Amino acid sequence: MAFDITGMMGKVKELQDKMQQAQQEIQHITATGEAGGGLVRATANGHRKILKLEIDESLLTPQDRDMLADLVVAAVNKALDEAAELARQELQRKTSGLMPNVPGLDLSGFGA
């Protein structure tokens, strides 16, 4: 049985195209994280960038400054974690069946 380099190169090109398409679509994925029972909400995209931060007016007092900082950090981290997971799922969906399941193959550099 001969090794089909042309077929393999076609699969690599198809994978590259799908990865590029998925990377473009990931920017439209959004996830929101909440903290303090919804008093602070952060929204992130699939590229792990914060798009929006909402803070309830009740937290905008000098005595709540430390608590506000903690809630912002918690909400942002939740949004970033969720956005990363949604992006991973989208990349996995887009590239399903294009790459063989190779033990030790790490696609995390591509956002997978």
Side-chain angles (χ1 to χ4, degrees):
M1 181 176 199
F3 181 71
D4 181 11
I5 189 74
T6 305
M8 185 183 86
M9 293 307 288
K11 283 287 191 189
V12 168
K13 175 68 173 133
E14 185 178 355
L15 175 63
Q16 288 174 331
D17 292 346
K18 292 282 188 181
M19 290 293 287
Q20 185 177 25
Q21 180 184 9
Q23 285 290 339
Q24 290 171 353
E25 291 177 12
I26 284 172
Q27 71 183 348
H28 301 293
I29 291 173
T30 61
T32 300
E34 295 184 357
L39 293 174
V40 176
R41 296 170 44 101
T43 302
N45 69 14
H47 287 293
R48 299 178 186 113
K49 301 292 182 200
I50 297 299
L51 303 174
K52 185 176 178 183
L53 182 62
E54 300 170 76
I55 301 170
D56 189 274
E57 288 183 23
S58 68
L59 294 174
L60 300 178
T61 63
Q63 63 269 24
D64 290 330
R65 186 177 313 192
D66 290 336
M67 180 179 60
L68 176 58
D70 291 342
L71 292 175
V72 168
V73 168
V76 166
N77 285 332
K78 286 178 183 179
L80 292 175
D81 288 345
E82 179 66 17
E85 176 60 21
L86 291 172
R88 185 195 64 76
Q89 291 173 8
E90 178 66 13
L91 282 174
Q92 187 175 34
R93 187 178 66 78
K94 286 285 186 192
T95 60
S96 177
L98 293 176
M99 286 295 291
N101 185 11
V102 178
L105 180 63
D106 181 12
L107 295 177
S108 62
F110 294 103

